[in-house]
Amino acid sequence: MSWWKRSKPVEPSLNTGMPLIRLEGVSKAFKGDADEETWALSDITLDIGRGEYVSVSGPSGCGKSTFLSLLAMLDTPTKGRYFLNGRAVDRLTPAEKARLRNIEIGLIFQSFNLIADMSVYENVEYPLTLGRATPAERNARVEAALDRVGLTSRAKQRPGQLSGGHQQLVAIARAIAGRPPILLADEPTGNLDSKSGDALMDMLGELHADGATLCLATHNPDYIARAQRHIYLFDGLLATEPVP
């Protein structure tokens, strides 16, 4: 079995009339000094179907990271509703959100969020320990993911012993080890050299070819061109075309 193959098919949506991801009038505000509100996203309505490869682009501060954080259920909308796989996310308990995120979503964010006192191997394995994989399955998945990102020889090292680029690769291995049906990537090549970045994009393409739904935030026009569909954000709003 190839490293990216899932042993079980992705479960169909609970509501077969809905796409995998649906946002209805979603807005997100953050409060600053004197309770002043800054709207990071405003009235976002869109669907993302199962198996789509979507790019999210726009100038810095346009709301890309906030958009992905909401999709990952790491944050909640100020207004509007989010449906994931037919489920209304606002009706899920924190434990249900955590379980869905662990099983269904692979996260590659700009911050590595590695655990400093764990080895590379343990960082990649940790999310798998929260699921139902057996020790043998966890070992096979971790070894395959580390091999795929070229870090097998660094499995026993700790994050503090690695460069920023290598830490990014550990975070990527952690995200793909569970073979998630949804992959959210926020500027995943930002800490990599061009060769490693292109290799990562090839790997994400393999995951998509196997059926993963991929949502990629990036400024790189070559990487944007790899996506099947393009979402443009500007000042927290959906735009019909790229805004310089």
Side-chain angles (χ1 to χ4, degrees), residues 198-218:
D198 288 344
L200 168 61
M201 293 303 299
D202 290 342
M203 180 178 64
L204 295 181
E206 292 173 1
L207 281 162
H208 172 252
D210 185 50
T213 302
L214 177 58
C215 193
L216 168 74
T218 181

PDB file of all heavy atoms in Angstrom, residues 198-218:
ATOM      1  N   ASP A 198       8.674  22.793  -3.895  1.00  0.00           N
ATOM      2  CA  ASP A 198       8.093  22.113  -5.051  1.00  0.00           C
ATOM      3  C   ASP A 198       7.810  20.648  -4.729  1.00  0.00           C
ATOM      4  O   ASP A 198       6.784  20.095  -5.152  1.00  0.00           O
ATOM      5  CB  ASP A 198       9.035  22.204  -6.252  1.00  0.00           C
ATOM      6  CG  ASP A 198       9.100  23.598  -6.847  1.00  0.00           C
ATOM      7  OD1 ASP A 198       8.200  24.414  -6.543  1.00  0.00           O
ATOM      8  OD2 ASP A 198      10.042  23.878  -7.606  1.00  0.00           O
ATOM      9  N   ALA A 199       8.707  20.015  -3.962  1.00  0.00           N
ATOM     10  CA  ALA A 199       8.494  18.617  -3.574  1.00  0.00           C
ATOM     11  C   ALA A 199       7.258  18.495  -2.692  1.00  0.00           C
ATOM     12  O   ALA A 199       6.477  17.538  -2.827  1.00  0.00           O
ATOM     13  CB  ALA A 199       9.729  18.081  -2.852  1.00  0.00           C
ATOM     14  N   LEU A 200       7.072  19.455  -1.782  1.00  0.00           N
ATOM     15  CA  LEU A 200       5.885  19.434  -0.938  1.00  0.00           C
ATOM     16  C   LEU A 200       4.627  19.578  -1.776  1.00  0.00           C
ATOM     17  O   LEU A 200       3.637  18.853  -1.568  1.00  0.00           O
ATOM     18  CB  LEU A 200       5.953  20.558   0.091  1.00  0.00           C
ATOM     19  CG  LEU A 200       4.647  20.842   0.846  1.00  0.00           C
ATOM     20  CD1 LEU A 200       4.189  19.610   1.630  1.00  0.00           C
ATOM     21  CD2 LEU A 200       4.808  22.038   1.759  1.00  0.00           C
ATOM     22  N   MET A 201       4.645  20.485  -2.739  1.00  0.00           N
ATOM     23  CA  MET A 201       3.464  20.677  -3.567  1.00  0.00           C
ATOM     24  C   MET A 201       3.156  19.428  -4.390  1.00  0.00           C
ATOM     25  O   MET A 201       1.990  19.093  -4.618  1.00  0.00           O
ATOM     26  CB  MET A 201       3.661  21.889  -4.473  1.00  0.00           C
ATOM     27  CG  MET A 201       3.729  23.214  -3.726  1.00  0.00           C
ATOM     28  SD  MET A 201       2.279  23.542  -2.695  1.00  0.00           S
ATOM     29  CE  MET A 201       0.990  23.555  -3.933  1.00  0.00           C
ATOM     30  N   ASP A 202       4.199  18.726  -4.831  1.00  0.00           N
ATOM     31  CA  ASP A 202       3.977  17.455  -5.533  1.00  0.00           C
ATOM     32  C   ASP A 202       3.302  16.452  -4.601  1.00  0.00           C
ATOM     33  O   ASP A 202       2.402  15.714  -5.010  1.00  0.00           O
ATOM     34  CB  ASP A 202       5.304  16.886  -6.035  1.00  0.00           C
ATOM     35  CG  ASP A 202       5.897  17.687  -7.180  1.00  0.00           C
ATOM     36  OD1 ASP A 202       5.159  18.468  -7.817  1.00  0.00           O
ATOM     37  OD2 ASP A 202       7.117  17.546  -7.427  1.00  0.00           O
ATOM     38  N   MET A 203       3.740  16.418  -3.345  1.00  0.00           N
ATOM     39  CA  MET A 203       3.168  15.503  -2.370  1.00  0.00           C
ATOM     40  C   MET A 203       1.702  15.836  -2.109  1.00  0.00           C
ATOM     41  O   MET A 203       0.842  14.943  -2.033  1.00  0.00           O
ATOM     42  CB  MET A 203       3.960  15.563  -1.070  1.00  0.00           C
ATOM     43  CG  MET A 203       3.450  14.636   0.016  1.00  0.00           C
ATOM     44  SD  MET A 203       4.477  14.716   1.496  1.00  0.00           S
ATOM     45  CE  MET A 203       4.209  16.408   2.007  1.00  0.00           C
ATOM     46  N   LEU A 204       1.384  17.125  -1.972  1.00  0.00           N
ATOM     47  CA  LEU A 204      -0.006  17.519  -1.778  1.00  0.00           C
ATOM     48  C   LEU A 204      -0.847  17.125  -2.985  1.00  0.00           C
ATOM     49  O   LEU A 204      -2.012  16.720  -2.839  1.00  0.00           O
ATOM     50  CB  LEU A 204      -0.097  19.027  -1.541  1.00  0.00           C
ATOM     51  CG  LEU A 204       0.555  19.559  -0.267  1.00  0.00           C
ATOM     52  CD1 LEU A 204       0.364  21.071  -0.158  1.00  0.00           C
ATOM     53  CD2 LEU A 204       0.001  18.867   0.967  1.00  0.00           C
ATOM     54  N   GLY A 205      -0.254  17.210  -4.167  1.00  0.00           N
ATOM     55  CA  GLY A 205      -0.954  16.780  -5.370  1.00  0.00           C
ATOM     56  C   GLY A 205      -1.269  15.289  -5.341  1.00  0.00           C
ATOM     57  O   GLY A 205      -2.337  14.861  -5.797  1.00  0.00           O
ATOM     58  N   GLU A 206      -0.355  14.505  -4.780  1.00  0.00           N
ATOM     59  CA  GLU A 206      -0.597  13.063  -4.658  1.00  0.00           C
ATOM     60  C   GLU A 206      -1.762  12.796  -3.702  1.00  0.00           C
ATOM     61  O   GLU A 206      -2.618  11.935  -3.966  1.00  0.00           O
ATOM     62  CB  GLU A 206       0.662  12.364  -4.151  1.00  0.00           C
ATOM     63  CG  GLU A 206       1.813  12.359  -5.145  1.00  0.00           C
ATOM     64  CD  GLU A 206       3.095  11.806  -4.537  1.00  0.00           C
ATOM     65  OE1 GLU A 206       3.074  11.409  -3.358  1.00  0.00           O
ATOM     66  OE2 GLU A 206       4.116  11.782  -5.241  1.00  0.00           O
ATOM     67  N   LEU A 207      -1.791  13.524  -2.590  1.00  0.00           N
ATOM     68  CA  LEU A 207      -2.890  13.375  -1.645  1.00  0.00           C
ATOM     69  C   LEU A 207      -4.219  13.725  -2.302  1.00  0.00           C
ATOM     70  O   LEU A 207      -5.225  13.032  -2.129  1.00  0.00           O
ATOM     71  CB  LEU A 207      -2.656  14.260  -0.422  1.00  0.00           C
ATOM     72  CG  LEU A 207      -1.688  13.733   0.622  1.00  0.00           C
ATOM     73  CD1 LEU A 207      -1.233  14.860   1.525  1.00  0.00           C
ATOM     74  CD2 LEU A 207      -2.323  12.623   1.429  1.00  0.00           C
ATOM     75  N   HIS A 208      -4.221  14.810  -3.075  1.00  0.00           N
ATOM     76  CA  HIS A 208      -5.451  15.202  -3.762  1.00  0.00           C
ATOM     77  C   HIS A 208      -5.857  14.156  -4.790  1.00  0.00           C
ATOM     78  O   HIS A 208      -7.050  13.820  -4.910  1.00  0.00           O
ATOM     79  CB  HIS A 208      -5.267  16.561  -4.450  1.00  0.00           C
ATOM     80  CG  HIS A 208      -6.425  16.932  -5.317  1.00  0.00           C
ATOM     81  ND1 HIS A 208      -6.355  16.913  -6.696  1.00  0.00           N
ATOM     82  CD2 HIS A 208      -7.696  17.280  -4.997  1.00  0.00           C
ATOM     83  CE1 HIS A 208      -7.520  17.260  -7.192  1.00  0.00           C
ATOM     84  NE2 HIS A 208      -8.346  17.488  -6.190  1.00  0.00           N
ATOM     85  N   ALA A 209      -4.900  13.609  -5.510  1.00  0.00           N
ATOM     86  CA  ALA A 209      -5.211  12.592  -6.507  1.00  0.00           C
ATOM     87  C   ALA A 209      -5.848  11.359  -5.882  1.00  0.00           C
ATOM     88  O   ALA A 209      -6.617  10.640  -6.540  1.00  0.00           O
ATOM     89  CB  ALA A 209      -3.943  12.207  -7.272  1.00  0.00           C
ATOM     90  N   ASP A 210      -5.522  11.108  -4.617  1.00  0.00           N
ATOM     91  CA  ASP A 210      -6.108   9.967  -3.906  1.00  0.00           C
ATOM     92  C   ASP A 210      -7.466  10.301  -3.302  1.00  0.00           C
ATOM     93  O   ASP A 210      -8.084   9.462  -2.671  1.00  0.00           O
ATOM     94  CB  ASP A 210      -5.160   9.496  -2.800  1.00  0.00           C
ATOM     95  CG  ASP A 210      -5.646   8.238  -2.105  1.00  0.00           C
ATOM     96  OD1 ASP A 210      -5.995   7.271  -2.805  1.00  0.00           O
ATOM     97  OD2 ASP A 210      -5.717   8.234  -0.865  1.00  0.00           O
ATOM     98  N   GLY A 211      -7.946  11.533  -3.496  1.00  0.00           N
ATOM     99  CA  GLY A 211      -9.284  11.866  -3.040  1.00  0.00           C
ATOM    100  C   GLY A 211      -9.367  12.882  -1.933  1.00  0.00           C
ATOM    101  O   GLY A 211     -10.475  13.257  -1.519  1.00  0.00           O
ATOM    102  N   ALA A 212      -8.222  13.347  -1.411  1.00  0.00           N
ATOM    103  CA  ALA A 212      -8.266  14.331  -0.336  1.00  0.00           C
ATOM    104  C   ALA A 212      -8.796  15.670  -0.854  1.00  0.00           C
ATOM    105  O   ALA A 212      -8.553  16.056  -1.993  1.00  0.00           O
ATOM    106  CB  ALA A 212      -6.881  14.529   0.264  1.00  0.00           C
ATOM    107  N   THR A 213      -9.538  16.355  -0.001  1.00  0.00           N
ATOM    108  CA  THR A 213      -9.970  17.717  -0.295  1.00  0.00           C
ATOM    109  C   THR A 213      -8.891  18.655   0.223  1.00  0.00           C
ATOM    110  O   THR A 213      -8.537  18.609   1.405  1.00  0.00           O
ATOM    111  CB  THR A 213     -11.311  18.016   0.403  1.00  0.00           C
ATOM    112  OG1 THR A 213     -12.281  17.068  -0.036  1.00  0.00           O
ATOM    113  CG2 THR A 213     -11.786  19.425   0.084  1.00  0.00           C
ATOM    114  N   LEU A 214      -8.364  19.500  -0.641  1.00  0.00           N
ATOM    115  CA  LEU A 214      -7.208  20.320  -0.307  1.00  0.00           C
ATOM    116  C   LEU A 214      -7.554  21.798  -0.431  1.00  0.00           C
ATOM    117  O   LEU A 214      -8.062  22.249  -1.461  1.00  0.00           O
ATOM    118  CB  LEU A 214      -6.045  19.973  -1.237  1.00  0.00           C
ATOM    119  CG  LEU A 214      -4.756  20.764  -1.105  1.00  0.00           C
ATOM    120  CD1 LEU A 214      -4.202  20.662   0.305  1.00  0.00           C
ATOM    121  CD2 LEU A 214      -3.718  20.255  -2.110  1.00  0.00           C
ATOM    122  N   CYS A 215      -7.301  22.534   0.644  1.00  0.00           N
ATOM    123  CA  CYS A 215      -7.509  23.983   0.659  1.00  0.00           C
ATOM    124  C   CYS A 215      -6.177  24.630   1.013  1.00  0.00           C
ATOM    125  O   CYS A 215      -5.674  24.469   2.124  1.00  0.00           O
ATOM    126  CB  CYS A 215      -8.583  24.347   1.669  1.00  0.00           C
ATOM    127  SG  CYS A 215      -9.177  26.039   1.527  1.00  0.00           S
ATOM    128  N   LEU A 216      -5.596  25.353   0.074  1.00  0.00           N
ATOM    129  CA  LEU A 216      -4.234  25.871   0.174  1.00  0.00           C
ATOM    130  C   LEU A 216      -4.230  27.389   0.126  1.00  0.00           C
ATOM    131  O   LEU A 216      -4.703  27.988  -0.841  1.00  0.00           O
ATOM    132  CB  LEU A 216      -3.396  25.314  -0.987  1.00  0.00           C
ATOM    133  CG  LEU A 216      -2.036  25.940  -1.242  1.00  0.00           C
ATOM    134  CD1 LEU A 216      -1.042  25.489  -0.175  1.00  0.00           C
ATOM    135  CD2 LEU A 216      -1.522  25.568  -2.632  1.00  0.00           C
ATOM    136  N   ALA A 217      -3.698  28.024   1.169  1.00  0.00           N
ATOM    137  CA  ALA A 217      -3.495  29.468   1.169  1.00  0.00           C
ATOM    138  C   ALA A 217      -2.056  29.750   0.762  1.00  0.00           C
ATOM    139  O   ALA A 217      -1.119  29.235   1.379  1.00  0.00           O
ATOM    140  CB  ALA A 217      -3.772  30.059   2.541  1.00  0.00           C
ATOM    141  N   THR A 218      -1.872  30.547  -0.280  1.00  0.00           N
ATOM    142  CA  THR A 218      -0.527  30.822  -0.773  1.00  0.00           C
ATOM    143  C   THR A 218      -0.508  32.113  -1.583  1.00  0.00           C
ATOM    144  O   THR A 218      -1.525  32.531  -2.151  1.00  0.00           O
ATOM    145  CB  THR A 218      -0.017  29.653  -1.650  1.00  0.00           C
ATOM    146  OG1 THR A 218       1.316  29.931  -2.096  1.00  0.00           O
ATOM    147  CG2 THR A 218      -0.906  29.428  -2.860  1.00  0.00           C
TER     148      THR A 218
END
